Amino acid sequence: MPAKGKHRRPKHYRITRKLALAGTGGAALTLPLISATTAGAVETAAAPTTYSVVAGDTLSEIAAKHSVSGGWQQLYAANRSVVGDNPSIIRPGIKLKLGAQAEPDRASRSAARTTLTPAAKPAAKTTTAAAKPAAAYPNNLDGWIRESLAVMAKHGIPGSYNGIHRNVIRESSGNPLAINNWDINARNGIPSKGLLQVIDPTFRAYHVPGTSTNSYDPVANITAACNYAAARYGSIDNVNGAY
C-alpha cells in the first residue's frame, strides 16, 4: 500500500500542477484584461469641457494650459457672453467653455472679430471742400462785369453792376481794346487802356491778385479800376465822369 501510494503521488502532483497552470493561465488572462481596461480609461479620459476661473487667471494662460484651438481669441469668442466686452478682465468663479464647446457660433465669431480686430480706420475726412468748378461767364461785357464782381467780393472791393456798366459805356463803349492816344496821359507815354481806361501805373498799383497782369484783360481791367475808385472815391458807383 505505501508503495502504491508513492506511485500515485506523482498523479496527485500532476493534478495540482494542472490546477496551478490553469490558475496561472487564468491570472494571465485576467491581468491583461484589467491592464487594458485601466489603460483605456487613461487614454480615453475626456478633457474637461469647462473651466472655473480663479483669481490671477488670464484667457491666454487658460487657452495654453488646455490647448484651446485658436488660442485665447477663440476662447474669448466662445465665452464673450460671460466674460464681457473686455477680454483682459475675467472674474473669478465664471465658467468658461473649453474644447469642442469653445466653438462659437457665427454671431459670436462676428462679435469677436469686431472686438479683437482693430476697426479699420475711417477714411480721413477731407478738410477742404472739393473744389467747385469755376463759374462759366460769357465772354462779353455782361460776363466780364459779373466775373469782376465775384473777384471784388472776395477782396472786399465795393461796387455794383450798374455802377461798373455805366462807367464802362462812358469810358470805352464796352471795347476791351480801347486806348486813348490824345489826352495828357497819352502825351506822357502812358495812355489810358481797356474798358475803364486805366493807365499802366494805376493798373499795376491797384492790380488784384488772381487776375491777369495784362491791363487789356477785361476782368483784370475792371477789377483794378474798381479797386482804385474805391480807394479814391469810396466806390466805382460814386464815379460819374473822368476819374
Side-chain angles (χ1 to χ4, degrees):
M1 294 295 291
K4 290 181 180 178
K6 289 181 180 178
H7 287 291
R8 286 196 292 269
R9 183 174 289 179
K11 185 177 181 180
H12 175 74
Y13 281 122
R14 283 197 298 272
I15 295 170
T16 302
R17 187 172 60 186
K18 188 175 182 179
L19 291 172
L21 289 172
T24 303
L29 290 173
T30 303
L31 287 174
L33 181 59
I34 293 171
S35 176
T37 303
T38 304
V42 172
E43 291 174 4
T44 60
T49 56
T50 62
Y51 176 80
S52 184
V53 176
V54 298
D57 276 341
T58 65
L59 289 180
S60 59
E61 290 174 349
I62 296 170
K65 180 178 179 180
H66 294 280
S67 301
V68 176
S69 177
W72 72 266
Q73 293 93 336
Q74 182 82 348
L75 184 61
Y76 175 57
N79 295 279
R80 181 188 173 100
S81 60
V82 293
V83 173
D85 292 334
N86 189 346
S88 64
I89 300 175
I90 52 175
R91 301 184 305 279
I94 64 173
K95 289 189 179 297
L96 303 178
K97 294 183 291 185
L98 305 174
Q101 291 189 22
E103 178 65 25
D105 57 23
R106 184 176 299 176
S108 298
R109 287 195 296 267
S110 177
R113 283 195 296 269
T114 301
T115 300
L116 301 176
T117 304
K121 294 182 179 180
K125 293 183 178 179
T126 304
T127 54
T128 56
K132 294 181 179 179
Y137 296 98
N139 188 29
N140 55 31
L141 180 57
D142 175 73
W144 302 330
I145 293 176
R146 293 186 184 282
E147 187 173 352
S148 296
L149 286 170
V151 176
M152 290 163 59
K154 291 179 181 179
H155 292 272
I157 301 171
S160 68
Y161 184 98
N162 289 336
I164 295 172
H165 188 272
R166 182 183 68 249
N167 281 283
V168 165
I169 296 303
R170 185 190 67 251
E171 294 293 326
S172 64
S173 300
N175 177 9
L177 298 179
I179 182 171
N180 186 322
N181 289 315
W182 54 267
D183 65 5
I184 186 62
N185 290 322
R187 289 195 294 270
N188 291 332
I190 47 172
S192 301
K193 301 176 181 178
L195 290 173
L196 283 173
Q197 293 293 282
V198 182
I199 60 175
D200 285 341
T202 300
F203 177 83
R204 288 192 294 269
Y206 291 93
H207 173 260
V208 177
T211 62
S212 172
T213 56
N214 181 353
S215 62
Y216 282 110
D217 179 85
V219 174
N221 187 279
I222 291 174
T223 309
C226 287
N227 195 23
Y228 163 73
R232 185 165 183 179
Y233 304 104
S235 171
I236 191 70
D237 294 344
N238 298 328
V239 177
N240 293 292
Y243 62 111

